[in-house]
Amino acid sequence: MKPFLYALNRMQENESLRPTQYLERSRSLMVDRLGMEGPVPEAAFAHGSVGLIADHTHYFDGFALMLQLRQGIAVSIRPSKAEHSRLVVEGSPEVFLFDRHETSDAPLEALVTAVLSELARDTWQVDLAVVAAIPPGLGMAYHAAFCIALIRAVEALIGIESTDAEVRVRARNILDRVAGMPLSPAYAIGASLPDEGPFVLIDTQNGEFLRLDVPSGQRPGFVLLDTGGANQFPPKGMDERKEATRRATAALQGGGFSRMVTLRDLEHKDLDAALAAIPGRLRPVVRFLVSSNRNVQKLTVAIRRQDWQFFGAILKIMQASQVNDWSTTRPVFTEPVAQAERLSLDGIYGVVQTGEQGMLLIVGQPFSLPSFLDEFRESHTNGIHDALIL
């Protein structure tokens, strides 16, 4: 009974707030840090949406499987007559100053500038307060949730109302523009949805999505491990990976797959023939991307069967593929991945990198995850910056 109660207490400590509570915290943060100047701030919230297998859809229009979170991001905003806009983020003592009319290399400031330039053509500056219960290390998932919440808050500020579909399209366009390249729409779609599901299957070619519901008492548990990635937007090396994907696609089109438009058109049963038709340096790219798309279907089957051991096994296969065929893994991942595999008989099903930066997603029996975290922290004091039980 003691381990059960211990695990329950740990999970309750990490229980997330309701969206209305996030909104109040963001408004209070603005007043506490930036004063009572101006009107009452408008606020909006967006849920986090983590890619279980989704990062491959940055490179072609495939299928993505997202984990919808209770946690998310709230943004408060109000107009300001000051010379600069001000941004405060819960947990940081700094007040970030910037001009909303000028470009910025900082991702959040750049997104603010892009959203305001599209929606609010007035010349006033703004004050913003951000309360985030998901880590910036999630990269695209973090920035998509911020962008969705910001768009909704700005629309409330200027008195317009868009449908969820319109907000999704606007967020996708803004994220692409700020990144300077096309990105997967899966993250903006996921962040625009409530935390129902908890899984969502997304076709990134047409933007359609399907909720995959599992009764709450039969769902596995998840933990995010933050290994301190660079938190770049877009992630480091994405332009090189996109160019490698373009070269691989062109090689296939010239090597017997002339009808193929994108890698989405390459069926998994033809993968071996496709690999034999292209230069060796391009084979890991095609193998990783096509297998990722195929593994989304396998995860969907596992969810519908509620076969969490099979679910975890697919994630382990995906992680091995990232190590062998892709270029986003880091040495710090080695030990948590190995420990998750060692504890497979103790209720830890699998582990996979998410977000192409510094985050690992651990899946297991809900009451096994707190002890996994404590055991890992005791034996490895370096390399893990934070952990979040979802």
Side-chain angles (χ1 to χ4, degrees):
M1 180 62 73
K2 185 177 180 181
F4 176 89
L5 293 175
Y6 166 75
L8 180 61
N9 289 335
R10 288 289 302 279
M11 292 165 65
Q12 289 174 337
E13 289 172 6
N14 286 278
E15 197 168 307
S16 60
L17 302 175
R18 295 186 300 275
T20 53
Q21 293 173 297
Y22 284 106
L23 298 178
E24 289 306 313
R25 277 174 57 172
S26 67
R27 291 189 180 100
S28 296
L29 177 66
M30 177 176 289
V31 172
D32 291 344
R33 300 283 303 281
L34 300 179
M36 292 286 292
E37 306 169 10
V40 175
E42 296 289 347
F45 174 82
H47 286 280
S49 183
V50 176
L52 284 160
I53 302 182
D55 292 329
H56 65 289
T57 59
H58 290 305
Y59 305 97
F60 71 103
D61 292 331
F63 295 95
L65 185 65
M66 311 300 291
L67 174 66
Q68 301 300 103
L69 307 184
R70 300 183 305 275
Q71 297 88 347
I73 296 178
V75 176
S76 289
I77 186 170
R78 69 186 180 193
S80 169
K81 296 180 180 179
E83 294 183 1
H84 292 89
S85 291
R86 299 181 294 177
L87 170 68
V88 292
V89 180
E90 188 178 56
S92 171
E94 189 171 354
V95 176
F96 300 94
L97 300 178
F98 65 101
D99 188 335
R100 56 154 286 199
H101 303 293
E102 298 180 358
T103 59
S104 173
D105 293 331
L108 296 191
E109 296 169 11
L111 287 170
V112 171
T113 298
V115 170
L116 290 174
S117 67
E118 180 167 326
L119 289 175
R121 304 192 182 277
D122 303 86
T123 59
W124 35 259
Q125 301 288 340
V126 293
D127 289 335
L128 299 110
V130 180
V131 172
I134 58 175
L138 278 174
M140 186 63 186
Y142 178 91
H143 293 108
F146 174 80
C147 189
I148 292 286
L150 176 63
I151 289 171
R152 289 171 172 163
V154 172
E155 287 190 344
L157 180 67
I158 63 178
I160 66 173
E161 186 174 352
S162 299
T163 65
D164 287 343
E166 291 169 337
V167 170
R168 284 195 287 272
V169 171
R170 181 168 285 129
R172 287 173 55 183
N173 293 335
I174 288 171
L175 289 162
D176 288 357
R177 187 161 69 249
V178 172
M181 64 182 71
L183 300 171
S184 171
Y187 293 88
I189 293 171
S192 71
L193 302 175
D195 65 329
E196 302 168 358
F199 305 105
V200 176
L201 175 65
I202 298 174
D203 184 343
T204 63
Q205 185 175 67
N206 55 30
E208 294 180 352
F209 58 89
L210 174 68
R211 297 183 186 277
L212 304 172
D213 194 15
V214 178
S216 58
Q218 300 176 38
R219 300 174 184 177
F222 292 90
V223 165
L224 277 171
L225 289 183
D226 187 351
T227 63
N231 186 28
Q232 295 181 344
F233 181 75
K236 180 180 179 180
M238 180 175 279
D239 50 351
E240 289 90 347
R241 292 188 289 277
K242 281 183 172 288
E243 175 59 21
T245 303
R246 186 199 64 78
R247 292 198 307 268
T249 303
L252 284 168
Q253 291 167 337
F257 293 85
S258 58
R259 295 184 178 181
M260 189 191 74
V261 178
T262 74
L263 292 177
R264 177 191 176 100
D265 303 322
L266 182 61
E267 295 189 32
H268 195 266
K269 66 182 179 62
D270 297 325
L271 179 57
D272 289 342
L275 295 177
I278 59 177
R281 68 183 183 278
L282 297 176
R283 290 171 187 168
V285 174
V286 173
R287 183 165 50 236
F288 174 77
L289 294 175
V290 175
S291 296
S292 296
N293 213 42
R294 172 61 173 163
N295 284 331
V296 169
Q297 300 176 43
K298 292 182 179 179
L299 278 188
T300 301
V301 170
I303 291 169
R304 285 173 168 161
R305 293 177 178 173
Q306 297 181 31
D307 187 344
W308 304 120
Q309 290 183 327
F310 179 48
F311 183 93
I314 297 301
L315 294 185
K316 290 178 184 179
I317 291 171
M318 275 301 307
Q319 184 60 27
S321 179
Q322 297 209 56
V323 172
N324 296 327
D325 294 330
W326 210 228
S327 60
T328 59
T329 57
R330 302 167 57 227
V332 71
F333 295 160
T334 303
E335 190 50 43
V337 169
Q339 180 160 340
E341 292 178 349
R342 286 195 300 268
L343 295 177
S344 59
L345 296 179
D346 296 320
I348 303 301
Y349 299 132
V351 56
V352 71
Q353 180 188 359
T354 183
E356 292 203 339
Q357 298 194 87
M359 304 298 296
L360 287 174
L361 187 65
I362 314 292
V363 57
Q365 295 176 1
F367 294 106
S368 298
L369 293 171
S371 58
F372 166 83
L373 283 177
D374 287 343
E375 181 178 335
F376 186 81
R377 284 167 169 157
E378 289 175 3
S379 56
H380 302 88
T381 56
N382 296 321
I384 301 300
H385 290 225
D386 199 4
L388 176 66
I389 297 179
L390 304 177

